Amino acid sequence: MDTVNPGTSPAPAYVSAALAARTSAGTVTLDGGSVAFWTYEPLEETPETRTILVIHGFRGDHHGLLRVADQLPDMRIIMPDLPGFGRSDAFGRDEHSVERYGQFVSDFMAARGLGPDTVLLGHSFGSIVAAHFVAGHPGAVRPLILINPIAAPALEGPKGVMTRLAVLYYRLAARLPRKPGLALLRNRLIVRVMSETMAKTRDKELRAFIHGQHHAYFSSFADRDSLLESFTASVSNHVAQVAGRLELPVLLVAGERDEIATLPSQQRLLALLPDGELKVIPGVGHLIHYETPEPAARHIRSFLKDHPA
């Protein structure tokens, strides 16, 4: 059984009042757990209106993609909080693996009546979930859009050392007693350092907005065990693993200065895709959804015009 209620929390700065007018919040029960989701209806439905299912990144929730949704007023956008994040329950019995998240996508689509004309969009860790889901469920969606896709193994290359340190961080936080473990995961200094590292904009107000978003939502996770499992899934998998099986049009939207999903890795990923297209946004890193939602939305809209339902 599911419920849909009008309204949601107040829209943050940098998001228009028009988005709030398009918004409804709901919950759906899947496998005994409650999943929160938000639907953004088109201001005016046109022949080009599509339904886009959005899968957010690690330690994020639906708030992260609001600025992109705001730039697509002609689209119907559905954004769940992934199980274990935001307002959604963690999986009750299963590990928070890429495969299990893929099953969640399938179950959620079935519960909401989303058919094969649905567009699937994944950001960062969500790109891994989305790509692996499509590889395992050919024909379930069309097309596929990946923003800041994780194109290569996180434990390899120049960032491998930092990734291993992050693995130790999450393992330590999971093994400590509950209170100090949560304090370590939610440490404001650590969150701020992460935010400062990823933000590339020189706009002081926009940087302040980004830091505020990370402080507000980066620590909205269900528990330490599910967080560790999700993190392990995020660094143990990548899109290139299944690229050759993605037999549908795929749009990659990459940041020129992305240090997590580097531009060379995006170019290598593009070469593996049967039907791929790469758009690079200058001057931005891993936070396209916060820093450059306008060009991201333009690329999305153009891509969907080229690949109609």
Side-chain angles (χ1 to χ4, degrees):
M1 179 179 181
D2 58 52
T3 60
V4 177
N5 301 304
T8 184
S9 56
Y14 286 92
V15 176
S16 75
L19 184 67
R22 299 168 53 199
T23 304
S24 64
T27 60
V28 60
T29 300
L30 298 176
D31 198 23
S34 177
V35 173
F37 67 94
W38 285 258
T39 302
Y40 307 88
E41 295 291 348
L43 289 177
E44 181 180 355
E45 193 156 350
T46 74
E48 295 180 350
T49 296
R50 301 290 299 275
T51 295
I52 305 174
L53 175 60
V54 175
I55 309 299
H56 64 73
F58 176 69
R59 284 191 75 163
D61 64 11
H62 72 284
H63 290 92
L65 277 297
L66 286 183
R67 296 200 72 203
V68 177
D70 201 13
Q71 297 297 318
L72 295 167
D74 52 336
M75 301 295 170
R76 176 176 296 101
I77 300 172
I78 303 175
M79 301 199 297
D81 284 350
L82 286 177
F85 297 100
R87 300 185 189 178
S88 293
D89 295 337
F91 294 130
R93 299 179 299 274
D94 300 325
E95 181 181 353
H96 293 71
S97 64
V98 169
E99 292 75 18
R100 183 62 183 87
Y101 277 120
Q103 183 60 50
F104 159 75
V105 174
S106 182
D107 293 344
F108 183 83
M109 289 185 64
R112 301 305 306 156
L114 301 178
D117 58 340
T118 302
V119 179
L120 186 60
L121 184 155
H123 171 257
S124 191
F125 174 55
S127 73
I128 302 174
V129 173
H132 281 250
F133 166 76
V134 169
H137 300 79
V141 298
R142 182 182 176 89
L144 176 63
I145 300 170
L146 305 178
I147 300 178
N148 294 121
I150 306 300
L155 293 171
E156 299 178 8
K159 289 294 177 180
V161 173
M162 294 302 297
T163 301
R164 288 181 173 83
L165 289 175
V167 170
L168 292 175
Y169 165 73
Y170 282 103
R171 287 179 177 171
L172 175 62
R175 291 173 181 172
L176 286 171
R178 183 177 184 276
K179 189 173 181 179
L182 288 174
L184 178 62
L185 288 170
R186 291 173 172 153
N187 183 277
R188 289 184 65 84
L189 178 60
I190 293 175
V191 172
R192 183 56 177 265
V193 169
M194 174 279 303
S195 189
E196 290 281 3
T197 301
M198 289 198 294
K200 303 303 180 187
T201 180
R202 295 183 178 180
D203 184 319
K204 292 183 179 179
E205 291 185 357
L206 180 55
R207 288 184 76 93
F209 166 73
I210 292 169
H211 300 330
Q213 291 285 290
H214 284 141
H215 282 303
Y217 306 117
F218 198 67
S219 296
S220 297
F221 52 85
D223 56 68
R224 293 177 296 160
D225 289 338
S226 63
L227 186 65
L228 175 60
E229 290 174 355
S230 297
F231 176 74
T232 302
S234 75
V235 299
S236 302
N237 297 274
H238 53 90
V239 177
Q241 290 170 314
V242 296
R245 295 161 56 194
L246 301 179
E247 297 286 347
L248 79 174
V250 180
L251 172 64
L252 310 177
V253 183
E256 178 191 29
R257 300 176 61 193
D258 196 335
E259 297 169 341
I260 295 173
T262 64
L263 186 53
S265 72
Q266 308 300 317
Q267 293 164 338
R268 290 191 294 270
L269 174 60
L270 178 66
L272 298 174
L273 294 169
D275 185 3
E277 182 176 339
L278 172 63
K279 296 297 184 180
V280 180
I281 301 180
V284 68
H286 203 64
L287 302 182
I288 285 174
H289 55 313
Y290 282 138
E291 295 188 27
T292 56
E294 297 91 347
R298 286 199 301 270
H299 292 317
I300 290 168
R301 184 176 287 105
S302 176
F303 181 70
L304 293 181
K305 285 182 178 180
D306 291 340
H307 302 285

